[in-house]
Amino acid sequence: MSNRDEDYEIPRKKKARKVRPDGADISSHDHISGADGTAKTLKRREGDSSKAVRRKPQTGDPKKRKTGESLSGDSIERKKSGKRANGDGSPRKKKVQEEKNSLEEGQKKRRKSEVQNEGTTKSSKKRSLEEEPGRSVKSESLEADAPEITFDTDQTGSRRRRREKRMEDFDDYKEDEMGKKSKKNKGAKIALIALGSVVGLLVLVYAGFAVYFSSHFLFFTEINGMDFAFKDVEQVEAYMKKQVSDYTLTLEESDGSKEQINGDDIAIEYIAGEQLEKLMEDQDNLLWPKSIWEHPKIDSKIGVKYDEAALAAVTAGLNCMNPENQTPPVDARPEFQEGQFGVVPEVIGTQINPEVFNAKIAEAINGFQPTLNLSDTGCYVMPRFKSDSPEVLAAKDAMNSYLRANITYDFNPNTEVVDASVISQWVRVDGDMNVTFDEAQVRAYVQSLADKYNTKGRPRSFTTATGNVVTVEGGSYGWLIDQEAEYNALIANIQNGETVTREANYASRAASHAGNDVGGTYAEVDLSAQHIYFIQNGQVVLQSPCVTGNPNKGNATPQGVYTLAYKALDQTLRGTKRPDGTYEYETPVKYWMPFNGGIGFHDATWQSAFGGSRYQTHGSHGCVNLPYDVAAQLYNLISAGIPVVCHY
């Protein structure tokens, strides 16, 4: 057996606990004394793969191995060399058995000794392990002849130290937590005590003010405009008595001027009463904090007495009561401003309402008030309508809706436009804020259109077929606006807010608004030249001499511009009917074309000649006589509505 130390891995079950003969744990490094007295080290090579020795199957009693029994030197040598024992009765086996027996006896003695010194040993080991972790501890010699066994206790001691350290840390943590909890509890108690003290103080303060204000007026209390905060009834009455002799009521008027009513002039005096006591009782002293932001303002009758007759005489002599100094109020109203209707504010004026004025003065004196604003208290006659009155706003909106209308009159080639600038001059509101139209102005506008564009019955300049310019007067032809119909149509267009282009409503129409209103197609009768022309689209297409009415018999053909009424064939022309039922004359004609009542164009086969001066001797009853063939041609050219111009 070799004397040098050799490393072996002691086979054991996984996680099995190893103990020394004295019952102590065996660490991963224990020293074992061999039979020859040489110390051998059994080292668990944990985590060192380079020096690990493959574990070999173990022989012998497993129970003895579990108790940490040492192997003999020969057994160790055999394990190292891989050789097996020669047999049960071999000298080596006997020697090993002897070593085991010796070890057991040593263990028993050692245990007995350790029991006696258990306390001391455990304390010693604990200090040794805490101070020098990993240190190899050799067991004391069991007997002089027993082999010395050394155990490595690093692993088991390390676990024990960690467990003890955790226990110590837990104890420290528990002590810290208990200390913190104790401190928290102490702080919470202090906070609760402080809070309770503050709350108690606040309750005392609140209750103190409530008691105080049961006999004193609250914060910011004003009575009839005077500050009486923190004053009791006696203090207020004392103030009133002191001030009554110098009392003056100042009247503030709307124009900025001021007038005064002196207490001496009305024999005013203070009379103590129960009114102040009632005011004190009515205030809510338990809710006194509300007065800090609400600022109670009390208007109340105070105990004063004065000469009412003297007061009436004083007020009657005030400047504001002089009718010459009073101006009536003006209602708010819509007014056209910058393209649309806006609201002009009301004007209150300076006209006094006597009933309200006298009542407010009495109220102010009874309340011992220093001033009275006539505007704020409604002493003036107020306007019926103000800027925000619904009637005013509705009227404004209606008037603005009318401004959306746009009417364009077609007088080709001319036009006339009615837009917001024109309509705004016609729209009105009455005293009750009803929207109306200024009828006179609207009718005046329609009349202006008639004056400008009517031609019926008016003298007009006319250029004849021969190029002469003549003035033609009279007749039934021309433009004539129906003014009543046009007024109604225009108002309807405006009220509906319409945008429209249209002609005016006419009672009589003509061919054109440009130049001669007869247009380019018409019949012309030259009464001086006794000649007719038919102009079609500006060109003479038919002309012929004629015979007109006999002026010497009072049957002259009247001048003027007329319209062909109709045309007919095979008619009989009759004169005035006599009393016996006969007519002055009865004349059959083939072509009949009337234009002025019973005056018209027709054929006259009884005339032997046409033109010249024949009309003065053989003239008609007013008709225009034509040769038969000319009458036939004219009948085919002319139609109802075509103008007929008769001129000299």
Side-chain angles (χ1 to χ4, degrees):
M1 182 177 292
S2 174
N3 291 329
R4 64 182 182 85
D5 293 338
E6 306 220 1
D7 295 334
Y8 290 90
E9 182 177 271
I10 301 175
R12 63 184 179 86
K13 288 187 178 181
K14 188 176 183 180
K15 297 184 180 179
R17 182 181 177 187
K18 298 179 291 296
V19 295
R20 294 189 316 199
D22 59 359
D25 289 339
I26 301 176
S27 66
S28 59
H29 295 80
D30 280 346
H31 301 281
I32 301 174
S33 298
D36 56 356
T38 304
K40 299 185 184 293
T41 301
L42 302 180
K43 181 178 182 181
R44 181 187 299 272
R45 298 176 176 260
E46 293 179 355
D48 190 358
S49 59
S50 61
K51 297 181 180 181
V53 179
R54 179 175 297 179
R55 183 176 298 174
K56 299 296 180 67
Q58 301 296 316
T59 59
D61 188 356
K63 293 182 179 180
K64 293 182 178 181
R65 289 200 304 272
K66 287 182 181 180
T67 59
E69 182 180 83
S70 299
L71 300 178
S72 64
D74 292 340
S75 298
I76 294 173
E77 187 66 23
R78 285 197 305 271
K79 183 175 181 180
K80 183 177 179 182
S81 61
K83 295 180 181 180
R84 300 179 62 181
N86 295 328
D88 295 339
S90 64
R92 288 184 180 179
K93 188 173 182 180
K94 291 180 179 180
K95 189 174 184 178
V96 170
Q97 186 63 39
E98 292 176 357
E99 291 178 356
K100 288 181 180 181
N101 295 336
S102 300
L103 182 58
E104 289 176 358
E105 293 178 1
Q107 287 176 345
K108 291 179 181 179
K109 294 179 180 181
R110 183 62 180 173
R111 287 192 192 101
K112 184 177 181 180
S113 175
E114 287 296 334
V115 169
Q116 297 175 357
N117 301 311
E118 183 177 1
T120 304
T121 303
K122 287 182 179 180
S123 299
S124 168
K125 288 180 179 180
K126 181 176 181 180
R127 284 194 303 270
S128 176
L129 292 173
E130 289 176 353
E131 293 174 0
E132 296 180 17
R135 176 184 175 185
S136 298
V137 181
K138 293 185 178 181
S139 60
E140 297 179 3
S141 177
L142 299 178
E143 290 181 358
D145 57 341
E148 183 178 355
I149 302 173
T150 303
F151 296 93
D152 189 348
T153 62
D154 286 348
Q155 183 176 356
T156 303
S158 177
R159 284 198 300 270
R160 183 188 305 151
R161 286 194 299 274
R162 285 197 298 269
R163 185 167 57 254
E164 293 174 352
K165 185 66 167 68
R166 284 196 299 270
M167 292 299 295
E168 291 178 359
D169 291 343
F170 176 75
D171 292 340
D172 293 341
Y173 170 77
K174 188 173 181 180
E175 291 178 1
D176 292 343
E177 288 299 315
M178 292 296 289
K180 291 179 181 179
K181 187 174 181 180
S182 176
K183 291 180 180 179
K184 288 182 179 179
N185 291 339
K186 185 176 181 181
K189 290 180 180 178
I190 294 173
L192 288 174
I193 293 172
L195 179 61
S197 300
V198 171
V199 171
L201 180 61
L202 292 177
V203 170
L204 289 175
V205 171
Y206 190 95
F209 273 107
V211 172
Y212 178 80
F213 286 126
S214 65
S215 59
H216 294 77
F217 287 105
L218 299 172
F219 291 102
F220 304 105
T221 298
E222 290 185 7
I223 301 176
N224 298 332
M226 291 179 286
D227 184 10
F228 289 114
F230 305 109
K231 300 290 192 300
D232 58 20
V233 172
E234 292 181 357
Q235 289 174 316
V236 175
E237 287 183 343
Y239 177 85
M240 295 292 186
K241 291 177 181 179
K242 182 179 179 182
Q243 297 296 320
V244 70
S245 59
D246 299 328
Y247 176 72
T248 298
L249 176 62
T250 300
L251 306 180
E252 298 176 346
E253 300 171 8
S254 62
D255 59 358
S257 60
K258 296 182 179 180
E259 295 186 80
Q260 292 182 334
I261 298 176
N262 295 318
D264 293 341
D265 296 336
I266 61 175
I268 190 172
E269 60 180 308
Y270 179 78
I271 300 176
E274 298 180 355
Q275 186 62 29
L276 291 176
E277 291 284 356
K278 189 175 185 306
L279 292 177
M280 181 70 71
E281 293 174 0
D282 289 343
Q283 70 177 3
D284 195 348
N285 62 301
L286 293 179
L287 296 179
W288 59 263
K290 290 171 55 179
S291 64
I292 297 175
W293 59 83
E294 289 185 353
H295 293 198
K297 296 182 184 298
I298 303 172
D299 292 325
S300 176
K301 183 177 180 179
I302 304 300
V304 295
K305 183 175 71 172
Y306 56 88
D307 188 337
E308 295 184 359
L311 177 61
V314 171
T315 56
L318 295 172
N319 290 331
C320 63
M321 293 298 290
N322 187 345
E324 295 181 357
N325 298 330
Q326 298 183 18
T327 56
V330 179
D331 290 337
R333 65 194 183 280
E335 187 174 282
F336 189 71
Q337 301 170 340
E338 299 180 357
Q340 65 178 353
F341 282 97
V343 175
V344 176
E346 69 279 3
V347 177
I348 296 177
T350 59
Q351 184 177 355
I352 295 292
N353 184 331
E355 183 178 351
V356 176
F357 179 68
N358 291 329
K360 291 298 180 180
I361 286 181
E363 182 181 325
I365 294 174
N366 289 326
F368 208 64
Q369 296 177 358
T371 60
L372 177 66
N373 188 293
L374 302 188
S375 297
D376 294 344
T377 54
C379 293
Y380 295 110
V381 176
M382 302 302 293
R384 289 182 60 200
F385 299 104
K386 298 183 179 180
S387 300
D388 56 354
S389 297
E391 297 87 349
V392 176
L393 299 177
K396 180 200 69 172
D397 294 341
M399 296 169 79
N400 280 326
S401 70
Y402 297 158
L403 297 182
R404 294 196 296 267
N406 189 294
I407 300 94
T408 301
Y409 286 100
D410 182 10
F411 296 105
N412 186 35
N414 301 316
T415 59
E416 300 290 339
V417 178
V418 176
D419 57 13
S421 62
V422 178
I423 297 171
S424 63
Q425 302 174 37
W426 301 342
V427 184
R428 298 285 186 272
V429 288
D430 62 16
D432 296 325
M433 288 296 151
N434 296 315
V435 180
T436 62
F437 288 91
D438 189 330
E439 181 176 348
Q441 289 201 34
V442 180
R443 290 188 182 278
Y445 178 79
V446 175
Q447 182 64 54
S448 69
L449 296 180
D451 294 341
K452 187 174 182 179
Y453 294 101
N454 280 358
T455 60
K456 184 177 181 178
R458 294 180 179 178
R460 71 200 75 187
S461 294
F462 180 75
T463 302
T464 67
T466 59
N468 297 323
V469 178
V470 297
T471 299
V472 182
E473 295 182 1
S476 62
Y477 177 85
W479 294 109
L480 182 64
I481 294 176
D482 185 341
Q483 295 188 38
E484 185 64 26
E486 183 52 42
Y487 169 82
N488 293 328
L490 179 57
I491 293 296
N493 290 148
I494 295 172
Q495 289 178 331
N496 294 330
E498 296 177 318
T499 298
V500 62
T501 299
R502 63 176 178 82
E503 287 187 322
N505 286 273
Y506 292 107
S508 175
R509 301 179 65 88
S512 173
H513 291 287
N516 293 326
D517 58 356
V518 296
T521 299
Y522 55 91
E524 179 184 344
V525 180
D526 189 339
L527 299 175
S528 298
Q530 290 290 291
H531 206 88
I532 72 153
Y533 302 90
F534 188 79
I535 293 84
Q536 189 176 56
N537 298 325
Q539 302 296 322
V540 178
V541 296
L542 178 66
Q543 59 177 313
S544 172
C546 64
V547 175
T548 61
N550 187 341
N552 295 323
K553 293 183 179 182
N555 296 323
T557 302
Q559 73 165 338
V561 182
Y562 306 92
T563 301
L564 188 71
Y566 62 93
K567 63 182 181 177
L569 298 172
D570 300 323
Q571 300 294 311
T572 298
L573 307 180
R574 294 181 175 90
T576 304
K577 191 175 184 178
R578 297 186 181 99
D580 60 359
T582 62
Y583 293 94
E584 290 181 355
Y585 65 89
E586 288 185 293
T587 306
V589 297
K590 180 65 177 178
Y591 303 102
W592 172 237
M593 296 162 278
F595 58 82
N596 181 13
I599 298 173
F601 298 106
H602 62 82
D603 55 295
T605 55
W606 59 87
Q607 293 284 3
S608 60
F610 294 92
S613 60
R614 186 175 173 80
Y615 74 100
Q616 295 180 356
T617 57
H618 296 84
S620 69
H621 294 90
C623 289
V624 179
N625 294 171
L626 298 174
Y628 184 86
D629 59 341
V630 173
Q633 293 180 58
L634 182 61
Y635 188 89
N636 291 327
L637 292 171
I638 202 168
S639 60
I642 288 181
V644 178
V645 181
C646 299
H647 65 86
Y648 286 99

